[in-house]
Amino acid sequence: MSHEASAPTLRKDALGVLSIVLLVIATNGPLTVIIGAVPTAIAFGNGLGLPSVFLLIGLAYLIFSIGFAAMSHHIKNAGAFYAYVSNGLGHPAGVGAAFLAVVAYASLNLALYGMFGLFGSMLFTRVTGLELPWWIICAAFVAIVHVFASRNIQFNGRVLGLLMLAEVGIALVFNVGVLFQGPGPDGWVMESFQPSVVFTPGFGSAVVFVIAAFMGFETAAIYSEEARNSKRNIPLALFFAVAVITLLDGSATWFMISAYGTELALAQAASNPGMIWFDIATKVLGGWAATAMELLMITSLFAAILSFQNTLSRYFFSLGREGVIWTGFAKLHPTQQSPYVASAFQSGLMLVGVLVAGLLGVDPITQLMPVAAAPASIAIVAVQVLTAIAVIGFFRSNPRDTNLWQRLIAPAISIAVLGWILWMMVTNVAWLTGGQTPVLDIFIPVFVAVIGVGGVVYAMWLRQARPESYAKLARLLEEV
């Protein structure tokens, strides 16, 4: 039997467009972004101009998705970025991109565990009256996430779908409440869309914060093997997910600014970022809304963590299936048809991460979260730049069913925009870490570069040591 014929495959025709969109949005955690990142982005970014940054970054990712979606018509692989870059730029670059993506998603998941540790321990104390360290709460939570992630993707899709509908719902209810009650003392703050307010010296910093709101939208392609009519549904899910994230986060931010008024919104973001949303939700909708937001913040983190667990386990599965890493990761559960070995490994990584951080006395919010999220942000934008270049490389010799806009112009725009964002991140790491220590500003970009180069070197070794396996990389389920 050939390698291709015997290769394990994930559950077929398990996900429709809506399920994929909800899985993707779950990785972004709308409430996590709105409550956790928006106040900081207002205070340290471009202030009142932040809603426009969401629109601009959303537009940039819609343009990126044009080439990405065109390539998805021809490649069907749970490795996503790995398969795309490998087919467009060669296997060494593809393996380098895979290593970067894995590190990015794992680091971001650890950062989300840090945030969950704070909110989860606060909720646990409120409900039980007992006080436990944040990392004990996280360790127990790792086990819960593992149980969910080991189930089939349809079950996970339903769970995440319900959580996302509730999360999106409370944001929309807030917007509607402001709409009916009317804005604050300054009316609708149209300054948020004026170039002189948007493009201030803090614009670059705001872009870096907003980029985090979109991290994970590209995971739609990871579910291509499990999607119904993937050639149609994956591109639709990509575009729809980016549009929802852009409009939901951007509109909620603008409605919040308008509800407070310009001066009070800026003052609250600077002096009381942790309560800015809860206070305005109470004023607009009543105390129940603040309570709902607090509970949904917990479920938002759960959804994001579970979604990234699914994403990472599929990366490990894809790389294991093709012999890039341990082939045991390619094992599927006999009934759930989920990559349970890869998922267990991911759970083990997170358990070790939170236990080590806890035992070392690392603060989950001021230390673990920013330090873990920084390499994730840099690595994933670097992979996105590589993917945009790969689109051009993939269609260069054979345009297939694409037009010039899809195969060249849109990817070229993406390379320029995302390349500029990557440069800002690398040269301003303190924006990502909160200025923890100067050493980190140098170490984190170097660490990311070493991971990427390490993947390239490993692939080149694989080409010499195991040429047959190397030749089959990223091609097991390719539909070119």
Side-chain angles (χ1 to χ4, degrees):
M1 182 179 294
S2 69
H3 185 54
E4 286 86 354
S6 63
T9 59
L10 297 165
R11 180 168 294 199
K12 302 293 186 183
D13 300 325
L15 301 170
V17 173
L18 181 59
S19 295
I20 298 170
V21 168
L22 292 173
L23 281 166
V24 171
I25 294 176
T27 63
N28 302 99
L31 274 189
T32 303
V33 171
I34 291 171
I35 295 175
V38 163
T40 305
I42 291 174
F44 297 99
N46 64 341
L48 302 178
L50 186 65
S52 288
V53 181
F54 278 103
L55 297 179
L56 291 171
I57 297 301
L59 176 61
Y61 276 131
L62 282 173
I63 294 173
F64 170 85
S65 297
I66 291 170
F68 193 60
M71 206 164 172
S72 74
H73 290 172
H74 305 278
I75 295 177
K76 184 179 180 181
N77 190 301
F81 280 150
Y82 153 63
Y84 285 45
V85 175
S86 187
N87 280 282
L89 297 178
H91 299 328
V95 175
F99 280 28
L100 286 174
V102 166
V103 167
Y105 293 138
S107 296
L108 188 58
N109 217 19
L110 186 60
L112 290 170
Y113 268 109
M115 184 178 285
F116 180 86
L118 175 67
F119 286 95
S121 60
M122 289 170 58
L123 180 64
F124 182 81
T125 300
R126 185 177 305 171
V127 172
T128 66
L130 302 174
E131 292 188 9
L132 289 177
W134 68 269
W135 52 276
I136 296 293
I137 300 294
C138 279
F141 189 60
V142 169
I144 296 172
V145 171
H146 176 68
V147 171
F148 276 81
S150 298
R151 296 290 302 275
N152 64 73
I153 194 62
Q154 289 165 308
F155 172 80
N156 279 264
R158 286 192 292 269
V159 170
L160 292 173
L162 290 173
L163 295 178
M164 284 305 96
L165 289 175
E167 198 172 330
V168 171
I170 192 66
L172 292 178
V173 168
F174 171 76
N175 286 356
V176 171
V178 176
L179 188 64
F180 277 94
Q181 188 179 100
D186 301 313
W188 297 106
V189 181
M190 302 310 296
E191 292 97 321
S192 294
F193 308 103
Q194 293 177 0
S196 60
V197 176
V198 176
F199 299 104
T200 64
F203 176 73
S205 179
V207 167
V208 170
F209 283 113
V210 169
I211 280 288
F214 290 86
M215 284 187 66
F217 83 92
E218 71 286 337
T219 57
I222 288 173
Y223 300 107
S224 60
E225 294 181 32
E226 297 159 286
R228 293 192 293 272
N229 191 5
S230 63
K231 288 188 177 182
R232 171 184 175 274
N233 290 344
I234 294 301
L236 279 178
L238 273 169
F239 291 121
F240 193 57
V242 172
V244 169
I245 295 165
T246 301
L247 296 176
L248 185 69
D249 293 352
S251 66
T253 302
W254 184 54
F255 275 70
M256 182 269 286
I257 290 172
S258 295
Y260 269 115
T262 57
E263 291 186 9
L264 189 55
L266 293 173
Q268 287 287 92
S271 64
N272 194 24
M275 292 301 295
I276 186 172
W277 282 99
F278 301 114
D279 288 348
I280 197 64
T282 300
K283 178 183 176 183
V284 173
L285 299 172
W288 70 269
T291 302
M293 276 190 169
E294 189 174 5
L295 292 174
L296 288 172
M297 181 68 178
I298 299 291
T299 62
S300 175
L301 288 165
F302 169 70
I305 290 169
L306 177 59
S307 188
F308 274 116
Q309 177 98 351
N310 282 316
T311 295
L312 271 164
S313 64
R314 279 153 182 77
Y315 255 98
F316 287 129
F317 165 81
S318 179
L319 294 171
R321 180 175 59 186
E322 299 186 6
V324 177
I325 56 178
W326 180 48
T327 56
F329 287 138
K331 291 182 180 179
L332 295 175
H333 193 280
T335 58
Q336 300 296 326
Q337 213 168 341
S338 61
Y340 73 105
V341 175
S343 183
F345 177 72
Q346 165 65 4
S347 297
L349 282 179
M350 294 300 103
L351 182 61
V352 170
V354 297
L355 290 179
V356 169
L359 293 173
L360 291 177
V362 174
D363 185 272
I365 296 297
T366 63
Q367 295 177 315
L368 177 61
M369 185 180 172
V371 171
S377 300
I378 293 172
I380 208 63
V381 175
V383 174
Q384 289 168 352
V385 172
L386 284 173
T387 303
I389 298 171
V391 172
I392 296 175
F394 182 74
F395 291 113
R396 182 181 55 187
S397 58
N398 184 357
R400 295 177 171 87
D401 56 354
T402 61
N403 56 43
L404 190 63
W405 171 248
Q406 293 171 307
R407 67 177 180 269
L408 180 60
I409 299 175
I413 294 172
S414 299
I415 293 167
V417 173
L418 294 174
W420 170 71
I421 293 171
L422 178 61
W423 173 254
M424 282 200 307
M425 286 181 165
V426 170
T427 55
N428 297 279
V429 178
W431 289 350
L432 298 166
T433 63
Q436 295 281 337
T437 62
V439 174
L440 284 175
D441 296 351
I442 300 172
F443 173 78
I444 289 175
V446 171
F447 168 74
V448 172
V450 167
I451 294 296
V453 172
V456 172
V457 172
Y458 175 74
M460 294 173 71
W461 171 85
L462 198 64
R463 180 169 56 191
Q464 296 295 324
R466 288 151 50 190
E468 291 186 4
S469 297
Y470 177 85
K472 296 173 183 176
L473 294 184
R475 295 187 181 278
L476 285 178
L477 293 176
E478 181 185 324
E479 296 182 349
V480 181

